[in-house]
Amino acid sequence: MQLSRDQLVQAYRRMATIRAFEERLHEEIAKGEIAGFTHLYCGQEAVAVGVCEHLADDDFIVSTHRGHGHCLAKGVDVKGMMKEIYGRSTGLCKGKGGSMHIADVDKGMLGANGIVGAGAPQAVGAALAAKMDGKGKVAIAFSGDGACNQGTTFEAMNMAVVTKAPCVFVFENNHYSEHTGPDYATATASDIAGRAEAFGMKAWRANGCDFFDSYEAMRELLEHVRGGNGPAAIEFDTERFYGHFEGDPQRYRGDGEIDRLRAERDCLIAFRRKVSEAKLLEAADLDAVDAETASLIEEAVQEARAAPLPTPEMVLEDVYISY
Amino acid sequence: MAQMMMREAILETIRAEMRRDPTIMMLGEDIVGGMGTAGGPEAIGGIWSTSTGLYEEFGPNRIIDTPISESAIIGSAAGAALAGKRPIAELMFADFVGVCMDQIWNQIAKFRYMFGGKSKCPVTIRLVYGAGFNAAPQHSQAVYAMLTSMPGLKVVLPSTPADAKGLLTQAIRDDDPVLFFEHKALYGMKGEVPEGDYQIPFGHARQVRSGEHVTIVTCGMMVGVAERAADQLAQEGIGCDVIDMRTTSPLDEEAILDSVEMTGRVVLVDESPPRCSVASDVAAMIANRAFAALKAPPQMVTAPHSPVPFARELESAYIPSAPKVIDAVRHVLAYR
Amino acid sequence: MAALKPFAMPKWGIEMTEGTVAEWMVQQGTPYEKGALLALIETDKITNEVEAEAPGMLARIVASAGETYPVGTLLAIISDGPATDAEVDAFLATFKPADALGSAGRGSTDRAPAPQPAAASPAIPADFAISPAARQLAEARGIDVSTVPGSGRNGRISLQDVEQAVRPPKPAIGGAPVSVEVPFAAIDHFYASPLAKRLAHQNGVDLATVTGTGPRGRICKADVLSRMVPAAAGPRVQPMDKVRKVIARRLTEAKQTIPHFYLRSEARVDALIELRRQANLFLGDKASINDFIVRATALALIEVPDCNVQVHGDAIHYFPTADISVAMATDRGLVTPIVRSAECLSPHEIARTTKALLARAKAGRLGYEEMDGGSFTVSNLGMFDVDDFDAIINPPQGAILAVGAARRVWGEQADGSGAFESRIALTLSCDHRAIDGATGARFLAALKALLEAPERLFPQT
């Protein structure tokens, strides 16, 4: 299906923003200013954007610990996210959550989650809520090749099928479950989507390093789900360029593996190539987006650094709405 | 006013609330019962008879009979709550909280806080707890101590049908996550229930007996045990101030301390084993804040440090009883 | 069948081993209310009041007033209602000292009596399950730890276990059945704490009129109390505290039992005032007029020793020294600390003594010995401009002197001329059982003479 020029620019902008955001964090974290664990999404942008370009604010997503990409793709505020990662009181979560717990419920982003697999049942719940409303809205559960082994994922898939919840199980297979390869840890490593099929839902498969492939597969899938046919699943074959967490020495990689991945499986490079071959956009258009993105990220970092730090009284705020 | 059993009061409350608020939905195992069988939906009328007839009135979008998947049930409730609904999730036995603890502890309890106060999770989890039916170690526990300790959760234990209605109404309308503990041996308890709409605020203990010699602090099914002990002691001229906490989180510290300041002696009665229990927690609070008023150390009457045994004689020995409470009161009065 | 409970000599503090029953305050067989004064028990430190913990009566009084008994001895038998002699005798037969726990029907015969402190006892074996602090206490008190129940793991004995074993049991609480019903138990729409509800119910406060300032906006005790102070009608009811109760009781008794009579006189104090001024200047120390009066009183008592007495029943105690109780007003009420041997002290020494006593009185730190045993009281209301008054004798003293303010009065002088004089009124209240009119008069005359020749108030050097 053909995308309009604006849609193409928008998609590229989203992916470029994610890439720039994550790459900048990689630099900044090495300087030691940022506390805690951060998990970078570089290399998987096509999945997040390929999925979320189909979604509105009242469609829901539930993310993982590697959630920056999903947040940005869903339209969550870049600067608010940066402040949150920098632990500022004006961050999206007032410095209470940090990288692993960024959420923006108004934009349908029901939270990144530090517990592997915890999001899947929550997405089923959000889908049930959507089903009550009857407006054809959906809920997406992002999982990795690690979460696909967690009991909650299976429970969620079964529950989604029996309740006919408009829930989408997205499996991002980036070939590493923390520091372990899927061939070792996942019994059906070559076919995660098959698990979903075993529960009785339709499953798609797509190249998660190619925006167009991802986007098209999702389009079909969402038509199916929004049409009231119950849940569906999709497995994306994708790559992550950085470690499980920042600081991971990645000794489990092969020689030259990352260089090869960046050369051969970079979705931004692939996007550029496709749109210029098909004469849909000029290089200059994309360069302009890159430049705007770069300055946006630079602003975000500067503002985050200057933003106010939280104070001790804030520890007790927001534990309850009222106690 | 109407006489009804606690399970009826709970059912009536859920029904009234679901009529009033279309965003309320309910999930649980066998809350309808009979789904996908020859007997058809409602073949059993809800496993604890606390959801009878709801499916017929509200339909399958709002009353969801689930597979046996505690994590999925509670997780769905969490997600639906974040997505704007007001879910009631039932755990058929409170003991199953172990199966889905992550969704309660790391997810529901923490959403509001770690999302910077921008989300609300108005979920009510109803758990069926307690010993007395010889249901053996894995189906008889009182797990509320652990959940009381978790910031972000509210924990409620009604002891009468009237309280069940008022507290459940509050729980459902409360925008914070609430764990509502229903004692299986209290389901059949009859009591006067006022008609009409009323809520009992959380953190507001109930005074069950009024006396000046000893304070007895308790909750849930142990309230009846304390009442029997107090009535017997009253015959001997010993007056007990019996306080039903109603909610262990938030805790009505003021009611407890006001009473202890008057009597100087306190007995805590708790159906759980003693370590890290609500009894120990409240005893420490009293010792910390009312030490000067105490004429004797706080006494605790609890279950022993053991799982709940199966055999009738063993289970009776496990559960705190009125004679044990009476002994504790005498003991605390005899302190020199 | 009455429920009988023992009333044994209590143990106040680790050191107390015995007490004296100073007075029984209730009659045998007379019912009393909760809080009623049962007895006054004296120790070497203090006289303590024993109050009833519940309504009842003393079915039999066993201990005699004025006698001393060891801690734990049965003093009386408390009953919730009339008891037959047979019941009381039966109770007495089974009573063991230090085994006074619980009501008669509880079958405490298998309880071991509390261990008696022994002069020497075997050392506790090193491997005995007992905490270090408990071991220390048990060894110091010679307690046989084999009879102490241990509350710890496997019966290990703690400090608390030893202390509980050492102390004799308290009189048991209980008696006639009580009602424990909660009258305001119905669920209502008032968000009020249980105590606030109880208070409101007891005092007729309508919760609808009360605003809550407690946690979560709840009505709490303070909110109800603030409603209970009525805007216009009714007096503020303040129950008497312990001190005031004692004062009330003693002075009522004094007024009712002592045959008071009153002698009135006046002294001219111009010379005294001038002498005081000069002495204060000269000595650089401040003595008040009252300090001089106390001095004068002391000397007058030595001159007329028949006024320096205490009355005890049929006996009169004559005191060799003038131990003068000086009345002082404090926030806590009237106290009368004693200036002992005032005849040996100069006015300024008396001043220092009374200042120190007043400071301690204000801090509530006056000890029992500072207030017990004076032979005469001086009470001066001159600083309040009272002209004269009749004071009530403080038993067991025989008399009390009331002193008024100095007034300027026109009086006839020795040479027949008239002049203004400063005069103070002196009113002597006497106990006619011990002091006759003539005796009192002689004292007053001596006092007046001393005050009018104040140089006699200084010790002759």
Side-chain angles (χ1 to χ4, degrees):
Chain A
M1 175 186 182
Q2 213 37 297
L3 285 134
S4 72
R5 192 177 185 286
D6 284 343
Q7 282 175 311
L8 287 170
V9 172
Q10 163 80 342
Y12 185 77
R13 186 185 296 283
R14 291 271 201 226
M15 293 199 291
T17 305
I18 297 172
R19 177 68 60 90
F21 190 96
E22 300 289 81
E23 292 285 6
R24 184 59 185 270
L25 276 182
H26 178 74
E27 284 173 38
E28 296 301 326
I29 287 166
K31 294 179 191 163
E33 271 179 59
I34 293 173
F37 291 122
T38 322
H39 310 79
L40 298 180
Y41 198 71
C42 294
Q44 298 176 223
E45 296 84 354
V47 176
V49 178
V51 170
C52 293
E53 278 305 289
H54 293 286
L55 304 180
D57 280 354
D58 49 2
D59 291 306
F60 302 107
I61 65 169
V62 182
S63 172
T64 63
H65 54 279
R66 199 177 303 283
H68 302 168
H70 307 136
C71 285
L72 290 166
K74 195 70 168 63
V76 171
D77 176 47
V78 175
K79 292 182 178 176
M81 277 177 66
M82 190 63 84
K83 288 185 189 118
E84 181 62 27
I85 293 167
Y86 269 82
R88 297 315 201 238
S89 64
T90 46
L92 215 52
C93 301
K94 299 187 189 163
K96 296 281 185 52
S99 162
M100 277 198 287
H101 307 109
I102 299 185
D104 193 344
V105 179
D106 294 334
K107 294 238 159 63
M109 200 299 168
L110 301 186
N113 209 306
I115 305 289
V116 174
Q122 291 166 18
V124 174
L128 289 172
K131 186 167 171 243
M132 265 172 79
D133 293 338
K135 294 189 192 139
K137 298 299 169 184
V138 299
I140 315 267
F142 284 100
S143 301
D145 48 296
C148 76
N149 294 326
Q150 191 73 271
T152 45
T153 307
F154 296 113
E155 286 187 45
M157 290 198 283
N158 181 63
M159 178 102 136
V161 170
V162 302
T163 58
K164 289 189 128 188
C167 185
V168 181
F169 294 92
V170 172
F171 294 102
E172 292 180 82
N173 187 349
N174 61 13
H175 308 299
Y176 287 103
S177 162
E178 297 201 9
H179 317 283
T180 310
D183 292 333
Y184 179 87
T186 304
T188 59
S190 54
D191 184 13
I192 295 173
R195 299 177 171 202
E197 281 166 340
F199 277 98
M201 68 177 95
K202 273 197 82 171
W204 279 254
R205 292 145 179 85
N207 178 354
C209 291
D210 180 86
F211 168 76
F212 294 99
D213 199 35
S214 305
Y215 185 86
E216 181 57 26
M218 276 308 291
R219 191 194 56 74
E220 271 183 42
L221 181 156
L222 283 170
E223 213 179 283
H224 173 83
V225 174
R226 290 197 202 275
N229 292 303
I234 178 165
E235 180 183 348
F236 289 100
D237 176 25
T238 186
E239 309 289 348
R240 63 165 160 81
F241 295 159
Y242 285 117
H244 167 61
F245 62 97
E246 281 308 282
D248 174 5
Q250 298 193 78
R251 290 199 201 108
Y252 44 80
R253 300 275 195 181
D255 282 337
E257 178 181 323
I258 297 178
D259 294 330
R260 186 178 49 77
L261 293 177
R262 282 205 182 253
E264 297 172 14
R265 299 214 74 202
D266 186 325
C267 59
L268 291 173
I269 295 176
F271 186 93
R272 268 192 187 250
R273 195 176 53 239
K274 275 207 176 149
V275 299
S276 47
E277 274 171 15
K279 305 241 188 307
L280 295 167
L281 290 173
E282 303 290 317
D285 302 324
L286 301 176
D287 291 340
V289 171
D290 280 339
E292 282 158 22
T293 308
S295 55
L296 171 65
I297 300 302
E298 175 63 31
E299 267 173 42
V301 170
Q302 293 316 323
E303 282 180 32
R305 282 203 186 118
L309 291 167
T311 54
E313 315 76 66
M314 295 177 184
V315 170
L316 279 177
E317 287 171 6
D318 295 322
V319 182
Y320 297 92
I321 295 172
S322 71
Y323 198 50
Chain B
M1 282 286 220
Q3 269 272 338
M4 63 172 76
M5 289 193 271
M6 189 184 284
R7 64 163 62 91
E8 293 173 287
I10 290 169
L11 173 57
E12 290 313 311
T13 304
I14 297 174
R15 198 201 315 277
E17 287 298 291
M18 289 190 75
R19 283 177 184 165
R20 185 188 58 83
D21 180 352
T23 68
I24 298 177
M25 59 192 289
M26 187 148 130
L27 312 95
E29 296 162 13
D30 281 338
I31 57 173
V32 183
M35 303 296 279
T37 70
E42 293 268 22
I44 62 161
I47 181 77
W48 293 107
S49 304
T50 47
S51 39
T52 320
L54 296 179
Y55 181 77
E56 197 180 7
E57 181 169 348
F58 299 106
N61 273 354
R62 292 180 71 190
I63 303 292
I64 301 171
D65 197 316
T66 62
I68 302 175
S69 313
E70 279 74 17
S71 295
I73 296 167
I74 303 301
S76 305
L82 287 178
K85 301 303 174 200
R86 196 166 283 269
I88 303 172
E90 182 182 290
L91 279 179
M92 195 193 286
F93 286 88
D95 315 62
F96 303 163
V97 78
V99 183
C100 59
M101 186 56 100
D102 181 75
Q103 292 295 333
I104 297 174
W105 186 14
N106 280 325
Q107 311 298 323
I108 291 172
K110 295 175 170 59
F111 283 151
R112 178 154 182 95
Y113 190 80
M114 62 186 184
F115 296 165
K118 297 200 322 289
S119 67
K120 73 177 189 195
C121 190
V123 72
T124 301
I125 301 177
R126 295 174 41 241
L127 307 92
V128 185
Y129 84 106
F133 282 2
N134 308 114
Q138 295 176 337
H139 290 70
S140 307
Q141 293 166 95
V143 301
Y144 48 83
M146 194 171 31
L147 293 153
T148 300
S149 72
M150 294 177 191
L153 300 175
K154 294 180 179 171
V155 177
V156 180
L157 299 102
S159 61
T160 64
D163 269 14
K165 173 173 169 178
L167 291 168
L168 185 56
T169 307
Q170 170 70 38
I172 294 171
R173 294 185 195 179
D174 202 298
D175 284 343
D176 285 311
V178 178
L179 287 110
F180 193 82
F181 279 83
E182 301 166 9
H183 200 294
K184 50 177 86 69
L186 284 181
Y187 271 149
M189 174 201 194
K190 277 204 173 131
E192 287 292 324
V193 178
E195 308 206 350
D197 189 31
Y198 65 92
Q199 291 164 258
I200 296 173
F202 293 159
H204 181 46
R206 175 172 72 105
Q207 178 144 23
V208 182
R209 292 289 187 269
S210 175
E212 27 183 42
H213 294 123
V214 185
T215 302
I216 302 180
V217 181
T218 186
C219 61
M221 195 179 80
M222 295 295 105
V223 174
V225 170
E227 283 175 355
R228 288 193 285 286
D231 289 340
Q232 198 181 319
L233 287 164
Q235 295 308 307
E236 296 175 30
I238 296 172
C240 298
D241 226 31
V242 179
I243 298 194
D244 172 8
M245 289 184 271
R246 281 175 165 161
T247 56
T248 56
S249 171
L251 181 68
D252 189 349
E253 298 178 343
E254 291 71 31
I256 295 170
L257 292 172
D258 281 350
S259 175
V260 172
E261 283 177 0
M262 225 180 46
T263 64
R265 295 168 216 270
V266 63
V267 174
L268 295 312
V269 187
D270 191 339
E271 193 180 321
S272 320
R275 296 299 310 280
C276 303
S277 60
V278 170
S280 319
D281 178 77
V282 176
M285 188 271 295
I286 292 171
N288 183 280
R289 307 252 296 274
F291 184 77
L294 283 174
K295 298 178 190 156
Q299 291 295 306
M300 291 178 11
V301 180
T302 67
H305 186 71
S306 78
V308 186
F310 159 69
R312 288 197 184 92
E313 296 71 23
L314 296 178
E315 199 190 40
S316 313
Y318 176 94
I319 302 172
S321 60
K324 287 182 188 158
V325 175
I326 289 171
D327 276 350
V329 169
R330 292 201 209 284
H331 190 79
V332 83
L333 286 173
Y335 185 80
R336 305 162 191 192
Chain C
M1 172 80 184
L4 301 177
K5 297 187 208 324
F7 169 29
M9 179 63 73
K11 187 175 176 73
W12 292 308
I14 285 276
E15 319 255 304
M16 178 180 170
T17 55
E18 62 183 23
T20 305
V21 180
E23 230 180 308
W24 283 107
M25 305 304 292
V26 294
Q27 303 239 353
Q28 179 169 306
T30 305
Y32 51 74
E33 295 302 305
K34 173 178 155 164
L37 201 50
L38 296 181
L40 294 180
I41 293 182
E42 279 179 13
T43 65
D44 49 8
K45 283 210 183 300
I46 199 159
T47 299
N48 223 315
E49 300 179 338
V50 180
E51 290 180 358
E53 303 227 23
M57 64 172 65
L58 295 183
R60 186 164 309 166
I61 293 180
V62 174
S64 309
E67 298 296 316
T68 302
Y69 302 92
V71 163
T73 310
L74 183 69
L75 303 178
I77 297 172
I78 293 175
S79 170
D80 61 348
T84 65
D85 280 342
E87 288 174 320
V88 175
D89 289 336
F91 184 87
L92 273 173
T94 58
F95 175 76
K96 297 183 215 105
D99 183 23
L101 179 64
S103 58
R106 273 202 70 216
S108 45
T109 46
D110 50 344
R111 263 184 83 93
Q116 304 300 319
S121 70
I124 301 169
D127 60 354
F128 199 87
I130 185 168
S131 78
R135 178 187 291 272
Q136 218 172 6
L137 178 64
E139 283 172 349
R141 298 238 179 269
I143 291 160
D144 179 7
V145 294
S146 62
T147 60
V148 174
S151 64
R153 190 188 287 262
N154 296 325
R156 187 174 188 263
I157 296 174
S158 70
L159 180 64
Q160 185 162 294
D161 297 331
V162 175
E163 284 197 343
Q164 287 292 290
V166 162
R167 296 179 197 164
K170 300 164 47 100
I173 293 176
V178 289
S179 166
V180 285
E181 271 217 42
V182 177
F184 47 85
I187 293 186
D188 53 34
H189 294 277
F190 298 114
Y191 189 29
S193 73
L195 180 63
K197 277 193 183 178
R198 187 183 354 222
L199 271 177
H201 181 84
Q202 282 168 353
N203 293 283
V205 174
D206 181 3
L207 284 170
T209 63
V210 183
T211 321
T213 63
R216 304 173 204 101
R218 192 164 72 163
I219 296 170
C220 58
K221 167 178 156 187
D223 300 323
V224 174
L225 285 177
S226 69
R227 270 265 168 255
M228 275 163 56
V229 179
R236 179 175 68 92
V237 175
Q238 173 78 34
M240 287 190 189
D241 63 25
K242 262 197 153 77
V243 174
R244 186 128 300 271
K245 275 197 213 169
V246 170
I247 293 175
R249 187 177 48 75
R250 303 196 67 210
L251 292 180
T252 304
E253 208 184 286
K255 235 355 168 101
Q256 286 172 342
T257 60
I258 300 177
H260 282 69
F261 70 91
Y262 306 95
L263 300 173
R264 300 176 212 282
S265 180
E266 274 184 345
R268 286 166 293 193
V269 293
D270 295 278
L272 174 60
I273 291 170
E274 179 56 19
L275 182 64
R276 167 181 169 258
R277 192 185 65 78
Q278 286 182 8
N280 283 352
L281 218 56
F282 184 70
L283 294 170
D285 200 357
K286 283 222 192 282
S288 69
I289 288 288
N290 200 50
D291 295 318
F292 282 87
I293 293 173
V294 170
R295 167 74 176 158
T297 304
L299 294 174
L301 287 173
I302 299 299
E303 257 185 68
V304 185
D306 286 353
C307 275
N308 195 27
V309 298
Q310 281 188 359
V311 182
H312 291 270
D314 287 344
I316 301 173
H317 296 203
Y318 292 87
F319 276 66
T321 55
D323 293 343
I324 299 186
S325 310
V326 180
M328 298 181 183
T330 68
D331 292 335
R332 295 151 192 274
L334 175 71
V335 290
T336 51
I338 301 162
V339 177
R340 298 204 186 265
S341 299
E343 77 284 1
C344 300
L345 300 174
S346 76
H348 288 80
E349 285 166 328
I350 290 173
R352 281 195 284 279
T353 311
T354 53
K355 266 205 255 297
L357 287 170
L358 180 63
R360 283 228 287 296
K362 285 185 171 159
R365 296 251 228 85
L366 279 179
Y368 180 63
E369 11 2 281
E370 288 165 307
M371 302 221 277
D372 180 48
S375 55
F376 190 93
T377 302
V378 172
S379 180
N380 189 333
L381 288 179
M383 78 278 283
F384 299 111
D385 232 10
V386 170
D387 287 340
D388 63 76
F389 64 104
D390 300 342
I392 303 174
I393 295 171
N394 285 317
Q397 294 177 0
I400 180 169
L401 177 73
V403 181
R407 292 162 295 131
R408 296 295 285 169
V409 182
W410 189 259
E412 187 185 359
Q413 303 305 300
D415 61 2
S417 66
F420 273 110
E421 302 173 315
S422 295
R423 296 205 208 139
I424 56 172
L426 303 165
T427 309
L428 182 70
S429 313
C430 301
D431 182 342
H432 211 315
R433 299 173 295 180
I435 300 176
D436 299 331
T439 313
R442 274 188 288 124
F443 167 80
L444 261 190
L447 177 62
K448 178 182 158 109
L450 283 160
L451 287 174
E452 292 183 349
E455 60 283 355
R456 290 173 57 198
L457 298 179
F458 285 94
Q460 308 306 312
T461 41

